[in-house]
């Protein structure tokens, strides 16, 4: 067992941290200003600053680390992990710049493994090149989508076409015009066994019958950099049968497989979120004086620092372990990812919360990234499966050993 960085990790982490600190973080206010200045009819267009950052990320070799060869660099999860953590320091802008948004990475890996050569050419290649983006449409307002078996959007075969009808929401990224397609999970065999009821279908965002009715704000924020969260109605949407991904009725297991890399990426990013909040807290308490001494000399504040460091390092170890399993196709991958999925958002939420407290009113105002980091950590207690579902998955596996 070796806990030192591998040569690949050491090379990448230096490039990634320099990129995030010197290029991405200074670009955050630029992105905010560019987003605010857009006229309403262009409010979801890709920001010029994102294109500039993408060019730099490519030059630095930080592009498509998670995308399998020949479309991307095809790095192992463990080798790419420190870069994902670094990107969490700016959790929307940095992943967008490196083409490693969780939804896109999950879909690119799925299409690389299960897509037809035509699907790979038409959808995977431009996704990997960064000329388009994608979105995953599973969740629905009408059913408890924590349990993907409930998904009720219908898909049926008609000749050479598939026809979809239903209502999706929280489809992240789909407000943006460069989101070219949605990967839609729909019910194709309601009477079949639970795991054989659904199919995964590529639906172009401009397909007739697909209507985006509104953007859903996250804790009041529009999330313009990642393309918002769309509420989408599908009314007899027709696509070629060639848009089916994998087997007809085989969508449930593919959707689960697709989520593991996305969940791991989010867990790693949350470690980066917490590190950024920790820096703000630790720097602030060194010089702010109250009760006759700097805040950092108060025992209560030292407890925040000590607890935060321990919790961040614990979460990082869980993340690296999950990445190690993933690289080996180990059967423990899904459970390790579930453990991380429970621990990392709560950890990052707690560290950001302490940092806000340490910064006082500054911490909840507009002059630091803490409010955005907070909402990112909070939403990840829901996105990609709520805490409870992952806790149950871990518990079920444990109890099986005692039955
Ligand atoms: C910012 C954001 C972005 C998102 N992006 C996407 C996306 O791109 N694509 C997509 O398809 N979805 C997306 N989602 C949706 C997200 O994955 C779902 O909200 C989540 O899976 C929960 O489903 P639900 O909202 O239907 O909650 P429900 O299933 O109604 O569950 C409500 C609550 O009940 C509890 N609960 C549920 N099941 C159990 C159980 N078995 N045992 C105990 N308690 C339970 C949990 O506390 C849960 O939060 C996003 C959500 C957010 C907030």
């Amino acid at each position: 067992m070796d806990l030192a960085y591998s040569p690949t990790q050491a090379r990448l982490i230096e490039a990634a941290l320099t990129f995030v600190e010197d290029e991405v973080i200074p670009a955050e206010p630029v992105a905010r200003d560019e987003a605010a200045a857009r006229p309403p009819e262009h409010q979801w267009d890709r920001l010029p600053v994102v294109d500039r950052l993408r060019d730099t990320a490519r030059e630095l070799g930080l592009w498509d680390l998670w995308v399998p060869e020949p479309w991307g660099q095809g790095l192992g999860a463990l080798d790419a992990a420190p870069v994902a953590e670094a990107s969490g320091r700016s959790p929307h802008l940095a992943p967008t710049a490196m083409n490693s948004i969780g939804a896109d990475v999950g879909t690119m890996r799925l299409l690389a493994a299960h897509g037809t050569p035509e699907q790979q050419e038409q959808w995977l290649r431009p996704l990997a090149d960064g000329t388009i983006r994608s979105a995953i449409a599973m969740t629905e307002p009408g059913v408890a989508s924590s349990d993907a078996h409930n998904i009720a959007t219908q898909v049926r075969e008609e000749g050479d076409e598939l026809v979809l009808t239903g209502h999706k929401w929280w489809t992240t990224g789909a407000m943006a015009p460069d989101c070219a397609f949605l990967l839609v999970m729909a019910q194709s065999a309601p009477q079949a066994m639970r795991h054989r009821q659904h199919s995964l279908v590529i639906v172009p965002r401009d397909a007739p019958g697909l209507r985006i009715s509104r953007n859903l704000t996250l804790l009041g924020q529009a999330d313009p950099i990642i393309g918002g969260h769309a509420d989408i109605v599908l009314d007899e949407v027709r696509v070629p049968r060639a848009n089916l991904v994998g087997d007809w009725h085989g969508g449930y297991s593919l959707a689960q497989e697709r989520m593991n890399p996305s969940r791991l990426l989010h867990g790693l990013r949350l470690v980066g979120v917490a590190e950024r909040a920790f820096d703000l807290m630790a720097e602030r308490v060194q010089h702010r004086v109250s009760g006759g001494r700097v805040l950092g000399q108060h025992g209560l504040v030292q407890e925040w620092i000590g607890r935060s460091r321990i919790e961040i390092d614990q979460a990082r170890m869980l993340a690296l372990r999950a990445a190690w399993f993933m690289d080996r196709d180990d059967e423990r991958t899904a459970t390790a990812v579930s453990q991380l999925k429970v621990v990392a958002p709560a950890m990052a939420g707690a560290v950001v919360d302490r940092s806000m407290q340490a910064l006082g009113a500054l911490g909840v105002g507009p002059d630091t990234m803490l409010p955005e980091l907070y909402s990112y950590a909070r939403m990840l207690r829901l996105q990609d499966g709520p805490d409870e579902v992952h806790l149950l998955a871990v518990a079920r596996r444990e109890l099986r050993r005692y039955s």
Side-chain angles (χ1 to χ4, degrees), residues 103 135-147 150-151 168-174 183 216-218 223 226 228-229 258-259 375 378-389 392 396:
I136 172 80
M138 294 179 64
T139 304
E140 302 178 0
V143 295
S145 303
S146 301
D147 180 355
N150 288 338
I151 283 171
K168 298 288 184 183
W169 75 344
W170 290 100
T171 309
T172 298
L183 195 57
L216 300 156
T217 56
L218 170 64
D223 273 355
I226 52 164
H229 310 280
R258 185 196 158 282
M259 291 241 231
S375 85
R378 183 62 187 86
M379 69 98 174
L380 276 167
R381 293 192 53 207
L382 293 166
Q383 192 187 1
D384 284 359
D387 294 353
E388 293 74 13
V389 167
L392 287 176
R396 265 197 302 269

Side-chain angles (χ1 to χ4, degrees), residues 115-131:
T116 62
E118 292 74 26
Q119 288 169 351
Q120 290 169 346
E121 201 50 42
Q122 187 174 0
W123 306 109
L124 170 54
R125 188 174 297 285
L127 256 184
D129 288 347
T131 51

